[in-house]
Amino acid sequence: MYALFHLIAFRGLRRGEACGQKWTDTNLDAGLITVAKQLVVNGWEVYEDDPKTDAGARTIALDSDTVQALKRHRAQQDKDRKEWENAWVETGRVFTKENGELLHPANVTRRFIELYEEIDLPPVRLHDLRHEAATLAHAAGADLKDIQEMLGHSSITITADTYTSLLPEADLAIAEAAARLVPRARATSENTAPEAEAEPDDAEHCGSESVPDDADPLGGIPEINSPSAHAPLTQTAPDEESEAE
């Protein structure tokens, strides 16, 4: 399931969308996938349905690493198909069991939990990978409209409401980085008291300008500890199958 987790983490598909993705809607040569179907769980039964909203049916560009992950996955699936021979179940899905059968979305979540417990990570939901994809995209320069289209939200308001506590921190980090591009003559401090007027005995020092103790003699700026662009991914996260996501 590595390629499935990778796709969600970097391009923000919903769990049901990833499980329902078909090879006929996946163009690895062009680096594009079209989200056209999803697998929905009703009780324990799984059925195919259209995306949750009209905006959910969308085409998403893939980065080169994701393309390579999917190509490796396809090669492994072709190998499994040959090994299973006539017992192979042809569903046309990108992500399947070893014999080609559909993946049950609930089992995908269960496997994700097993993995993070095995490597002793803090509890995190599979759906939080979708939040990670949005946060990474924004930190890379995507605006809310770009993120709305990538995630398939029906309204940009949903995107803004969902990520209101995540994306501003990335904006702040970008603002701090931009400010550091402007050169300063010397560092200043609000708490630095004005220097006392020089006495006549100090006349020989009057030509040198006073510099705070923590200032860079070459005029640099003290390092600013800006907040991380990657906020905790479990904030303001609705239920896994909610319309807001």
Side-chain angles (χ1 to χ4, degrees), residues 167-235:
L167 303 186
E169 295 202 19
D171 285 334
L172 181 57
I174 292 170
E176 292 284 8
R180 285 197 290 270
L181 294 177
V182 181
R184 301 294 202 274
R186 62 187 178 91
T188 59
S189 171
E190 292 180 0
N191 297 324
T192 302
E195 291 294 330
E197 191 173 313
E199 294 295 328
D201 291 343
D202 299 326
E204 65 271 22
H205 302 297
C206 289
S208 61
E209 195 172 6
S210 175
V211 180
D213 292 338
D214 61 347
D216 183 342
L218 298 180
I221 308 170
E223 183 65 25
I224 300 173
N225 294 322
S226 61
S228 169
H230 306 296
L233 300 180
T234 54
Q235 297 183 39

Side-chain angles (χ1 to χ4, degrees), residues 23 73-102:
W23 283 117
H73 174 78
R74 183 170 60 185
Q76 180 61 50
Q77 191 180 76
D78 290 342
K79 182 180 178 181
D80 292 340
R81 184 184 287 106
K82 291 179 181 179
E83 291 178 351
W84 281 82
E85 297 180 342
N86 293 335
W88 174 265
V89 179
E90 189 58 66
T91 61
R93 307 289 174 177
V94 175
F95 305 109
T96 66
K97 297 180 182 179
E98 290 183 355
N99 66 346
E101 292 180 355
L102 294 176

Side-chain angles (χ1 to χ4, degrees), residues 39-53:
L39 296 187
V40 178
V41 179
N42 183 11
W44 189 250
E45 296 298 317
V46 178
Y47 64 93
E48 181 186 271
D49 199 0
D50 294 330
K52 295 177 68 172
T53 65

